[in-house]
Amino acid sequence: MSATFRVLALHAHPDDVEFQCAGTLILLREAGCAVTIATMTPGDCGSAEHDAEAISVIRREEARASAAMIGAEYQCLEFRDLAIFNDDESRRRVTEALRRARPDLILTAPPVDYIVDHEVTSVLVRDACFAAPCPNYTTRQWEPALPLAKIPHLYFVDSLEGRDRDGRPVAADFHVDISRVFPIKREMLSCHASQRNWLIRQHGIDEYLEVQAKWSAHRGAEIGVAHAEGFRQYRGHPYPQDNLLLHLVAQDGLGKRLTATIPG
Ligand SMILES: [Zn+2]
């Protein structure tokens, strides 16, 4: 019997995961993986009508409902919007979150994106992956979790619309075909009603779900399928080099299905 692989999707704000990698998380759940969705902040700046505390309560609940749709856990690391910094305390907090989730595989924000919260999340998670197995790296918690046995496999999701800060497209290393499960990904994003309604009021159209559909269709067209998600694997020196993610979803990275041989 295969071991249960553990997956952590850790991005900056509630709904980032739903835009960039929820389809792949659905496939990983189908493959028997345990999935945790975590956000750095509760999205406390994502409202013009509620104060920070009130919108945080709403958005934590929306994120929890979205995760529950696929039997995933949800956690918030309780940083605040536009106040995520790459400093000592933050790295220890993210490391503790990794040690508690104990992931074999992590999906996180890309190193370059349109907003600082995404970029700092990316670097904190990258370095927490390195720190989490180090026994001498303490997290200053009352009941700290044990160090990880090894560095997890690390993947970066797409930036918003797959562009860097100068608007240039960033190519994916590989794609995951999510066509079959796209309706569930859309439902997960629909759980974030506070954001969707805000955009409907601001722009007069239901742009929220359309942005998601347009982007997955764009990545899909690159490999000749209806909907896909793009990823880059971080392969810095001591990090795992083999592509566990593709292995678990039994795809070749170009939209073809492989015969499932899950390691374990
Ligand atoms: Zn975000």
Side-chain angles (χ1 to χ4, degrees), residues 6 11 13 23 72 78 137 145 154 167 171 205 209-210 232 237 242:
R6 301 183 63 81
H11 209 308
H13 313 112
E78 298 299 343
Y137 186 77
L154 178 61
I205 51 168
L209 298 183
E210 286 322 299
R232 283 181 296 149
H237 170 64
D242 61 305

Side-chain angles (χ1 to χ4, degrees), residues 98-120:
L98 263 55
R99 287 176 176 172
R100 290 184 188 179
R102 313 205 73 70
D104 301 286
L105 188 159
I106 297 182
L107 308 177
T108 194
V112 174
D113 207 338
Y114 77 104
I115 192 170
V116 67
D117 283 357
H118 290 199
E119 296 187 347
V120 179

Side-chain angles (χ1 to χ4, degrees), residues 9-28 37 66 107-110 112-115 118 155-163 170 172 174-178 182 185-186 188-189 192 208-209 211-220 227-232 245:
L10 171 49
H11 209 308
H13 313 112
D15 81 11
D16 287 326
V17 160
E18 285 78 357
F19 275 107
Q20 305 298 8
C21 63
T24 299
L25 294 179
I26 297 162
L27 297 176
L28 289 166
I37 297 174
S66 167
L107 308 177
T108 194
V112 174
D113 207 338
Y114 77 104
I115 192 170
H118 290 199
Y155 297 86
F156 299 127
V157 303
D158 280 332
S159 56
L160 186 70
E161 297 175 333
R163 295 187 181 278
V170 178
F174 64 94
H175 296 62
V176 173
D177 176 6
I178 59 155
F182 180 75
K185 170 172 162 137
R186 191 176 169 94
M188 288 174 73
L189 188 62
H192 296 270
Y208 195 59
L209 298 183
V211 167
Q212 183 203 46
K214 249 173 91 176
W215 181 244
S216 345
H218 178 90
R219 280 299 192 213
H227 292 281
E229 289 169 343
F231 296 94
R232 283 181 296 149
L245 174 53

